[in-house]
Amino acid sequence: MALNPIPIATTGGEHTAQQFRMMIKDLARDNQGVTTGLDLKVTALSTPGAGVQISDGSAVIAGKVSAVQGYYSAYNIGSDTVSIAATGGSPRSDMLVMRVEDPDYEGTRDPETDPIVFWEVVPNVGSSATTVPSGYSAVPLARIDIPASTATITNAMIKDLRQVANPRKERTLYPYYAADPLVQISGTSETWQTFPNVTMASIPIPAWAASAKVAFTVCGIRLVDGNAWGNFRFLLGTYEAAQWVGIDDNQGTAARRNTVQMLDTIDLTTTAGAAMRGTTQPFKSRMRTRSSNAAKIGVDATTTFNIDIEFTEGPL
């Protein structure tokens, strides 16, 4: 092999199919998978039966037969259906893949008469399998775990195996600067409350996001008049963080300033998460005191809050 003397897009040059496949590999950053989180999703038929349907969309598929085979770009226009064989007396797991079989490297398919990219149902895979068989130029779409003596495929049997080749990410920092006068919570109620009682930011949630990572920090929170014991977390739209961190010290009555940070990951593929995608949601700070708290916990003009949130694309 040698350096190809005519790069892509040279006027008057002739380019091989391999050159275009290598360009697809470059543009895909050597990753394979579906293009967006909505592409090529496998679901049960509208009336469940002996098959599944595959949504429209596209994928990038790595050629696995040769190190210089490159990548293929394949599209499904509209939805398609694939038959799934019934099980007998034992359960079975099948894997549905989008496969390329290029006669330049394997098989005997003729591009003029035969599909070079096609759906393939790989039968009898392991019940936890997530990758295509070795040597396959293919991307996995779903594993179908079928009980014994079953001919009807339901969504409960379909395990989504899709991976987005190059998932989008969007990270933004939203600072919130508290203001005077000083506001405080105290006591031992253990009841969560929005504190301070404001919306700190309005967060646009991308329609393509499958998850969000949040780092929420308060700097300069004021503690005074006793040992402090409380908790800190956030509320984004209808999602209140399950995790929380402590506001906790034993420094007595003197006024002091603390910094507290919490981290959380939000699943935006749940019913509640999906309802927030493509909308703008309020972000609020949530705090509570605990049963052994003796302090006043305060926020004033020397307190800042930092909302660091990153959205990541994934299968939807």
Side-chain angles (χ1 to χ4, degrees):
M1 303 299 289
L3 178 67
N4 192 299
I6 304 176
I8 290 288
T10 301
T11 300
E14 293 185 1
H15 309 303
T16 66
Q18 183 188 44
Q19 281 183 275
F20 283 100
R21 291 195 303 270
M22 297 304 285
M23 182 177 68
I24 293 169
K25 176 184 178 182
D26 293 343
L27 294 176
R29 296 188 296 177
D30 204 18
N31 294 319
Q32 74 164 12
V34 298
T35 305
T36 78
L38 294 171
D39 286 357
L40 306 181
K41 184 172 183 175
V42 179
T43 57
L45 301 175
S46 54
T47 300
V52 294
Q53 59 187 356
I54 306 168
S55 71
D56 63 359
S58 61
V60 175
I61 303 171
K64 296 294 187 180
V65 181
S66 167
V68 293
Q69 188 172 347
Y71 281 41
Y72 301 82
S73 177
Y75 294 81
N76 183 40
I77 307 300
S79 63
D80 204 354
T81 59
V82 175
S83 297
I84 304 295
T87 52
S90 301
R92 189 185 74 241
S93 291
D94 294 348
M95 184 180 292
L96 177 56
V97 306
M98 186 187 217
R99 183 177 180 184
V100 167
E101 195 172 281
D102 185 342
D104 280 351
Y105 298 94
E106 61 177 323
T108 58
R109 291 173 180 262
D110 183 348
E112 293 187 2
T113 57
D114 302 320
I116 302 304
V117 61
F118 51 94
W119 315 119
E120 181 170 333
V121 178
V122 183
N124 292 306
V125 300
S127 60
S128 60
T130 58
T131 57
V132 302
S134 178
Y136 268 42
S137 299
V139 292
L141 301 179
R143 189 184 68 244
I144 305 165
D145 300 318
I146 316 165
S149 303
T150 299
T152 298
I153 307 302
T154 66
N155 283 324
M157 302 175 193
I158 299 172
K159 170 66 175 177
D160 192 354
L161 300 180
R162 296 171 302 146
Q163 295 292 321
V164 178
N166 288 290
R168 286 170 280 187
K169 292 188 177 184
E170 181 181 290
R171 181 179 179 185
T172 307
L173 176 66
Y174 298 87
Y176 175 79
Y177 302 94
D180 284 332
L182 172 70
V183 291
Q184 299 178 118
I185 58 173
S186 60
T188 58
S189 71
E190 301 214 1
T191 299
W192 286 101
Q193 59 184 291
T194 299
F195 181 74
N197 190 21
V198 296
T199 295
M200 294 184 169
S202 294
I203 310 291
I205 301 177
W208 46 259
S211 66
K213 291 187 174 74
V214 181
F216 184 40
T217 309
V218 56
C219 302
I221 193 169
R222 188 176 189 268
L223 310 176
V224 69
D225 291 349
N227 295 332
W229 190 23
N231 296 137
F232 172 67
R233 65 184 182 187
F234 68 84
L235 176 68
L236 175 61
T238 60
Y239 177 84
E240 185 148 19
Q243 182 61 51
W244 44 262
V245 294
I247 302 169
D248 184 9
D249 76 7
N250 295 301
Q251 297 187 43
T253 59
R256 63 271 188 197
R257 300 278 177 171
N258 275 12
T259 294
V260 183
Q261 182 181 72
M262 69 147 304
L263 307 172
D264 197 23
T265 299
I266 305 173
D267 184 353
L268 295 171
T269 67
T270 64
T271 300
M276 294 198 292
R277 295 199 309 263
T279 68
T280 297
Q281 296 291 331
F283 189 101
K284 299 178 181 180
S285 169
R286 301 280 283 171
M287 297 190 200
R288 68 175 177 182
T289 54
R290 302 305 302 270
S291 60
S292 297
N293 177 64
K296 295 183 179 69
I297 301 171
V299 171
D300 61 14
T302 63
T303 308
T304 60
F305 293 80
N306 299 310
I307 306 160
D308 188 351
I309 184 165
E310 181 179 71
F311 296 102
T312 302
E313 186 174 20
L316 297 176

